[in-house]
Amino acid sequence: MPPPSFLTGSILFNGGIGRTGMRLLRQAALLCGLALAGCTTLPRTPYTAADASSSRVLDIDGLRRYTDEPVGKFRAGKDDTAATTTYLALSGGGADGAYGVGVLNGWSAAGTRPVFSVVSGVSTGGLIAPFAYLGPQYDDTLRELYTSGIAESLLSDPSIMRVLFGSGLFGNTRLRELVARYVGPEILAQVAREHAKGRKLLVVTTDLDTQRTAVWDMGKIAALGTPEALKLFRDVMAASASIPLVFPPILIEAEGQGRRFQEMHVDGGVTAPVLTLPEDLLFHGRLPGNSRVNIYILVNKKIERTFELVPNGTIEVASRSLSSITQSQTRSVIFSTYDFARRNHLGFHLSYIERDYPPPPSQGFDTAYMRALYQYGYEKAAGGHAWSATLP
């Protein structure tokens, strides 16, 4: 079978948020169910499918593409000449992103971490991606984000009023503040400099209006160097991690056919568990020849099947069913990528949380759990055991 243009898979709800997110979704669903009669919607500026088909952000073409577009649209421009030799794909996983951060930091400690030609991130991976892209100098920043306890504040003060009159159990003020605290003009300038060298930084969101997977070229956004570009850069990161029902969506200003409107973007994990790339972007329209290309897929979750006695209740059955779909689709993406790499003689490297690792003791971003998971990932990578060249 010919290789797919995009080695991605669709995913439902917990692809970006994992077991933690499913617990939160249960809580949100129960609250909304109790108050369903009072649920309402916030007003939006209407626009059409025709408007969406020609929409641009910041009045600039190419700041984002959709995964169902022809792969030729992803081909590098004439000024973008650096060949892809190392590609890092970061999956979703909510609090389990602490595993990926641990692997990255342990990899740095081992002295074998490469400079990545392309980095992509989905959901929690979208929060990690800019710092992974900029290299080990931001290892301390990532460790602070995922082990200091700051993540726990994102899920404080759940409000039934937000369920009734908003679009999420928790407000997104803290998520936006967290992104703004760590992503400022200096980060934007550094990403722009690396982008000018031909390196790619991609973050994935889900456009709910069109039901499409959006891939944002964060380097191209950063290269604009304007206050509007910084706001968009932050909004995309926040949108990629905005779990449906738990956090409100991020509304991004766009323009199409002379009309201005707001697109609704949420967690990239709703439609893509992890993003691997079309061959036109990987190889700039040519096979790598004698150069060695390595694909690293860092999965912030468990991908092996596990046994669990499921309570015979509606929420529990639905949760386990969605989790099973997600796991199956994530595995499908990994298997397709492995087959693509094998047929094209690429290096394939996979890292994930082992099946027997203890689950989190509570819902939300439990700091003790995240610290232990970080250390688990760190020790695996520092000891040279984080990556496998075979399938689970």
Side-chain angles (χ1 to χ4, degrees):
M1 186 175 70
S5 298
F6 257 88
L7 303 177
T8 58
S10 62
I11 197 163
L12 295 174
F13 291 112
N14 66 329
I17 58 181
R19 294 171 61 93
T20 298
M22 290 310 300
R23 293 189 181 93
L24 294 170
L25 285 173
R26 290 178 206 160
Q27 187 177 7
L30 285 170
L31 284 172
C32 198
L34 290 172
L36 189 59
C39 285
T40 185
T41 58
L42 298 176
R44 294 185 61 198
T45 300
Y47 71 104
T48 67
D51 298 331
S53 67
S54 61
S55 68
R56 303 193 305 173
V57 177
L58 299 183
D59 292 334
I60 297 172
D61 287 323
L63 295 186
R64 51 95 194 279
R65 297 294 187 192
Y66 292 98
T67 57
D68 56 2
E69 292 184 278
V71 293
K73 287 196 173 185
F74 289 84
R75 186 174 293 129
K78 60 184 178 181
D79 297 325
D80 200 1
T81 57
T84 298
T85 56
T86 51
Y87 169 53
L88 174 67
L90 297 156
S91 85
D96 287 346
Y99 172 75
V101 170
V103 168
L104 289 168
N105 285 19
W107 206 356
S108 297
T112 55
R113 177 174 162 183
V115 176
F116 302 108
S117 307
V118 181
V119 175
S120 71
V122 178
S123 193
T124 197
L127 296 179
I128 297 170
F131 305 106
Y133 175 79
L134 293 176
Q137 63 177 313
Y138 284 100
D139 282 359
D140 289 344
T141 299
L142 283 174
R143 184 173 64 250
E144 180 178 326
L145 271 168
Y146 281 83
T147 67
S148 68
I150 192 171
E152 279 193 298
S153 68
L154 296 176
L155 301 181
S156 60
D157 304 324
S159 172
I160 185 64
M161 296 305 292
R162 294 194 190 100
V163 176
L164 288 170
F165 302 110
S167 49
L169 180 61
F170 302 88
N172 60 16
T173 300
R174 287 187 175 88
L175 178 58
R176 286 180 174 273
E177 288 175 349
L178 183 67
V179 173
R181 174 177 174 178
Y182 289 97
V183 179
E186 181 181 352
I187 293 288
L188 204 72
Q190 290 182 18
V191 170
R193 284 196 292 270
E194 295 305 311
H195 174 75
K197 299 175 184 178
R199 300 177 63 213
K200 289 284 186 182
L201 172 61
L202 308 172
V203 171
V204 179
T205 66
T206 297
D207 183 337
L208 277 187
D209 293 326
T210 62
Q211 297 183 311
R212 302 171 81 188
T213 304
V215 182
W216 296 84
D217 189 334
M218 304 298 276
K220 190 167 184 177
I221 295 170
L224 299 175
T226 63
E228 293 78 14
L230 177 58
K231 180 181 183 302
L232 177 60
F233 195 100
R234 290 168 169 171
D235 281 349
V236 171
M237 288 182 64
S240 187
S242 290
I243 305 164
L245 297 182
V246 178
F247 295 122
I250 301 294
L251 298 176
I252 294 179
E253 299 286 342
E255 185 267 339
Q257 300 193 129
R259 302 183 65 241
R260 293 196 173 273
F261 45 84
Q262 292 179 315
E263 300 174 345
M264 180 178 284
H265 289 262
V266 298
D267 191 331
V270 170
T271 52
V274 61
L275 180 74
T276 53
L277 300 174
E279 54 271 27
D280 271 14
L281 182 52
L282 263 173
F283 304 137
H284 295 189
R286 64 184 184 277
L287 289 175
N290 294 325
S291 63
R292 178 65 169 173
V293 177
N294 285 288
I295 299 176
Y296 296 89
I297 304 177
L298 183 44
V299 182
N300 295 300
K301 63 181 72 175
K302 298 178 181 179
I303 59 176
E304 296 172 296
R305 297 182 182 90
T306 58
F307 175 82
E308 179 181 321
L309 187 63
V310 180
N312 192 12
T314 302
I315 297 297
E316 290 78 12
V317 170
S319 173
R320 182 67 169 177
S321 298
L322 289 173
S323 176
S324 299
I325 292 170
T326 294
Q327 188 183 69
S328 176
Q329 292 174 333
T330 302
R331 288 165 63 91
S332 177
V333 172
I334 293 169
F335 292 173
S336 296
T337 306
Y338 174 79
D339 182 60
F340 175 76
R342 181 180 55 81
R343 286 185 288 102
N344 288 283
H345 310 289
L346 313 180
F348 174 87
H349 311 272
L350 175 66
S351 186
Y352 56 92
I353 302 171
E354 302 289 341
R355 163 170 42 197
D356 57 356
Y357 190 83
S362 61
Q363 68 179 23
F365 293 88
D366 183 89
T367 301
Y369 169 78
M370 294 173 71
R371 287 174 179 168
L373 186 57
Y374 165 87
Q375 192 63 31
Y376 165 72
Y378 181 94
E379 291 175 359
K380 283 179 68 174
H385 307 300
W387 298 99
S388 172
T390 59
L391 296 173

